[in-house]
Amino acid sequence: MGILEVKNVSKNFGGLKALSDVNLSVRENTVHAIIGPNGAGKSTLLNCLVGKLIPDTGSVMFDGQSVLGRHPYEINQMGISRVFQTPEIFGDLTVLENMMIPILAKRDGTFELNALTSIGSQKDVIERAEHMLEEMSMADKRHFHSGSLSRGDKRRLEIAMCLSQEPRLLLLDEPTAGMARADTNNTIDLLKQIKEERDITIAIIEHDMHVVFSLAERITVLAQGTPLVEDTPENIKGHPKVREAYLGESA
Ligand SMILES: Nc1ncnc2c1ncn2[C@@H]1O[C@H](COP(=O)(O)OP(=O)(O)OP(=O)(O)O)[C@@H](O)[C@H]1O
Ligand SMILES: [Mg+2]
């Protein structure tokens, strides 16, 4: 049994079958990659895991509890955190202020932006945010405006924001998309470090095979909303079905 169990999940958008009968089992404390061509249904699947979408059929269980129909905040409280495909930080706020948001939200259950304006009374939150930035090697950038960060540092900040919620499952939707090679390699190193230092399961959607094969212990290949195969990286690499459907090569 995996910590995350997806069973027979289907999702249609009008006449379009985005997901058809998807089964996925993510084992605790592993890095599990979900790969597949554009439009394969990867983000739709992730949206079903975090309460953003409710599948038409099927079940999604995290640690024995259903996530379906729950508010995203509740799912967060269950131990699932997600980095979205498009960066979700406030560009006008500083790195430190962004870092405070999930810490405030976790403490209060709700978040009010004006909590940031009474910054002097948030000493404990500032301390925790600064500590997290230190752990993520971003302390020297804490007063930078987040919008001015490199793509790699924006991702690093988002991942730090997720980790401050102490998730047991971290979901990453194409964390290295559009990055230069150096930033990509830094992100790989960061995720390896996170995996080493914490009890955490990571599910990662990724197009860059260098990232996938550097990190993943299991890989699921999705094509047209259906899992083609789930296996180890070694077996996936040479799989004729994968080469044909995903890489566009005939076997
Ligand atoms: N809210 C929506 N309404 C209608 N169609 C949608 C919606 N979200 C996704 N789709 C469609 O569902 C299919 C799967 O989309 P999804 O975003 O899950 O693919 P993906 O594998 O994440 O692709 P990419 O690699 O480009 O991010 C696509 O054909 C997409 O156009
Ligand atoms: Mg996507």
Side-chain angles (χ1 to χ4, degrees):
M1 262 289 267
I3 190 167
L4 180 74
E5 290 285 339
V6 175
K7 291 227 158 63
N8 307 111
V9 161
S10 298
K11 181 74 193 172
N12 295 331
F13 295 114
L16 182 105
K17 286 186 174 179
L19 297 174
S20 307
D21 219 17
V22 172
N23 288 292
L24 173 75
S25 178
V26 177
R27 296 177 199 170
E28 191 159 15
N29 286 329
T30 59
V31 179
H32 193 124
I34 299 162
I35 65 173
N38 293 117
K42 304 179 298 296
S43 295
T44 303
L45 178 59
L46 234 62
N47 285 333
C48 292
L49 306 183
V50 294
K52 206 171 168 191
L53 282 178
I54 300 183
D56 300 330
T57 60
S59 63
V60 179
M61 306 290 282
F62 174 68
D63 201 20
Q65 281 187 294
S66 175
V67 305
L68 300 186
R70 292 184 193 260
H71 188 274
Y73 174 70
E74 210 185 329
I75 287 173
N76 228 239
Q77 292 294 91
M78 287 169 77
I80 303 180
S81 244
R82 172 192 184 165
V83 175
F84 284 88
Q85 191 161 355
T86 320
E88 298 254 322
I89 52 176
F90 292 99
D92 288 340
L93 298 185
T94 65
V95 168
L96 181 62
E97 286 165 342
N98 268 292
M99 190 65 238
M100 288 170 66
I101 292 170
I103 297 172
L104 283 163
K106 173 121 181 143
R107 191 180 62 177
D108 299 339
T110 55
F111 172 70
E112 290 174 28
L113 254 185
N114 65 15
L116 285 173
T117 59
S118 56
I119 219 160
S121 63
Q122 308 288 338
K123 200 161 171 284
D124 59 320
V125 178
I126 294 175
E127 274 171 14
R128 284 183 49 204
E130 287 194 324
H131 179 72
M132 195 69 210
L133 290 175
E134 242 162 63
E135 265 189 51
M136 304 291 277
S137 313
M138 290 198 84
D140 55 335
K141 297 184 177 131
R142 64 189 180 282
H143 296 308
F144 285 23
H145 274 102
S146 305
S148 68
L149 295 175
S150 71
R151 209 175 262 265
D153 278 341
K154 279 183 186 148
R155 277 291 183 226
R156 185 173 284 261
L157 172 58
E158 277 186 300
I159 293 171
M161 288 165 72
C162 281
L163 290 181
S164 71
Q165 308 210 307
E166 296 165 1
R168 295 173 61 206
L169 174 64
L170 178 64
L171 303 171
L172 300 158
D173 197 346
E174 301 202 32
T176 67
M179 273 185 196
R181 181 51 76 194
D183 273 344
T184 298
N185 287 336
N186 284 337
T187 307
I188 293 173
D189 291 343
L190 174 69
L191 293 172
K192 280 186 178 165
Q193 180 199 330
I194 289 167
K195 195 67 205 29
E196 239 173 66
E197 291 174 354
R198 288 160 204 267
D199 257 352
I200 197 164
T201 308
I202 298 178
I204 178 171
I205 288 176
E206 188 53 71
H207 276 287
D208 185 333
M209 290 302 115
H210 170 58
V211 179
V212 172
F213 291 120
S214 301
L215 291 168
E217 292 153 86
R218 298 287 298 177
I219 299 175
T220 296
V221 184
L222 266 191
Q224 296 176 334
T226 311
L228 273 183
V229 56
E230 182 189 320
D231 215 327
T232 58
E234 295 70 35
N235 291 341
I236 291 285
K237 262 183 199 167
H239 203 292
K241 247 181 163 180
V242 175
R243 296 216 321 263
E244 190 181 330
Y246 182 54
L247 304 173
E249 296 172 10
S250 56

